[in-house]
Amino acid sequence: MSFLTLTHLQKSFGSVKVVHDFNMTIDKGEFVSFLGPSGCGKTTVLRMIAGFEIPTGGTIEIAGKDQTHLRPNQRNIGMVFQAYALFPNMNVFDNVAFGLKVAGKPKNEIESRVKEMLKLIHLEHLADRYPYQMSGGQQQRVALARALAPKPEVLLLDEPLSALDAKIRVSLREEIRQIQRHLGITTVFVTHDQEEALSISDRIVVMNGGKADQIGTAPEIYNRPATRFVANFVGTLNVIEATLVNGATGVVKIGEELVSLPQPVSGKADGQSISVAFRPEAAMVAGPATGPAALTGTVMSSNFLGSVMRTKVDVGGNIISFDIFNHPSALRPKAGETLSLTLQKDGLMVLGD
Amino acid sequence: MKRFWAWGALIIGLLYFILPLIGMTNFSLKMRRGVYSFDAYAKVLADTRFQETFTYSVTLALLTILVGVFLVVPTAYWVRLKLPFLRPYVEFVTLLPLVIPAIVVVFGYIRLYNTSSWLPLTGTALGTDVLLVAGYTMLALPYMYRAVDTGLRTIDVTTLTEAAQSLGAGWFTIITRIILPNVLVAVLSGAFLTFAIVIGEFTMAALLNRPAFGPYMQVLGANRAYEPAALAVIAFAITWGCLGLIQLVSRFQKSAQRPV
């Protein structure tokens, strides 16, 4: 059942159109991430949901009620900002209590709700601290508690982890997801970090140039990107040139190997050149257990990344990047060596535009 | 050698400012022949006109601060939040009192609000007081606006406003519970400067014929010898007290914003 509905949403700043006909429905309790590069319009859509920007066209509905022209303080929405935005003149307790006080809740109700929220974020012991006395991660958890305290219908997270260091970012995103699941609150999360989006979202909206290029679950977005932009933006992608042998059966020739693609190829004539893409994990070093080699090339570099060795191979001018899992007896290719690779057929894709 | 000239310039500067003050203070203590005494101060403080004019000026200063805060804080906030393109123009307007002499302004007031005008404010004492507060507010505008604007620059006005809005707060709540408390130190700086200006202001109060401290100092100076010097020292002490308070609250703000 759709809870948050965005219909034909548009936004222009002067003559610049930043959001083009954006449509989406989000279910109650769903965690949706807007993912895209800077300037793709993801934050603008979020700000329109919050009421900070008035749409040039289209409607925003929450639980069936039109919110398009309501002021931000008339919408029951909680928001967490990248810059924490805790009120510097208030301590943690008063920050979390602010929304409840504005709503005119009784004192005892405010106190119990604030305590409940502080317990949720494991910061009960810091109720008397001021924002300047806390770390960035603690401040952002307080900002989350503050946004959740008035029991909003929708929670909006505007790049809440961007200002934090890498370790805190990972632990806090897991905490956010856990709290979101616990409360069952409909959440929209804006990020430009693909790993963040892939790891915690029910669905991801990949935005490009003011519109949604693809909406889907993390595996769908990663394994079956709808456009070349999505494929390039999410994860690492290898693209190689192949010759279409039989479009109806999806057979292409890569190097000297005939390879069957997972699906037929339409819109191209047999014998034409097509771009075949695959993720690093779809390639592996050819050996007795992996079947015949599809590609042979020269190792350009091999970088140790801890759990894997990220290796780059030049195959007839195409640079193929793939990973070798690290273990004591793992192959450690050296630059200049010749290496043969096998491709997993179900990992191959033909990209649309 | 460079140090010698730097110290020399500093000492000459300090002597230039301090010697007249020392001379004036010394003179104010010599009312009783042959000995130092606080007779002049006692006389000034016991004078009912001093008490009346000082109370009047303090009252007007407090009213001016109130009007200034109500006028400047929302204006500076709104300009920063919604109308940043207007900032240079607003700054220019707030600087006008520094280039337009008070006497010109007060003649303008008298011409506009005299007893035969459509709004005869000068016809009553209360009306003239209102006019005087308006004039003082305008005189203090360059200092109050700059102080508040500098305070607003130290906080993320837009994000704090949006955070408060998302929590259900309206404009009044945002200004009174979020913005004002966070620029309070800046507002206090502006308020102390306003207080110092109003306490010593002469032109407007004299031409509007109100019993303020400035005209009292002038009358006393024209008719007495030692009391005016004592009064000047008292006025200096008040001004310096205000400047000291600005320093104190500024220091308080610095410690409050120290990061972890």
Side-chain angles (χ1 to χ4, degrees), chain A residues 47 73 77 89 102 132-133, chain B residues 162 165-166 182 256 258 260:
Chain A
R47 290 175 62 78
N73 59 338
I77 279 172
N89 57 313
V102 167
Y132 73 90
Q133 295 171 315
Chain B
E162 288 178 352
Q165 282 180 316
S166 72
N182 281 303
R258 189 184 64 239
V260 172

Side-chain angles (χ1 to χ4, degrees), chain A residues 223-285:
Chain A
N223 296 327
R224 295 279 167 260
T227 65
R228 190 176 282 266
F229 171 80
V230 175
N232 275 314
F233 188 75
V234 181
T236 306
L237 193 75
N238 296 304
V239 182
I240 52 173
E241 291 306 311
T243 308
L244 187 61
V245 176
N246 187 335
T249 54
V251 176
V252 294
K253 193 174 182 187
I254 300 174
E256 295 308 314
E257 277 292 315
L258 286 178
V259 178
S260 292
L261 297 175
Q263 60 233 28
V265 179
S266 54
K268 290 268 184 185
D270 291 349
Q272 270 193 311
S273 172
I274 59 167
S275 295
V276 174
F278 56 93
R279 301 285 183 197
E281 54 271 25
M284 62 188 84
V285 179

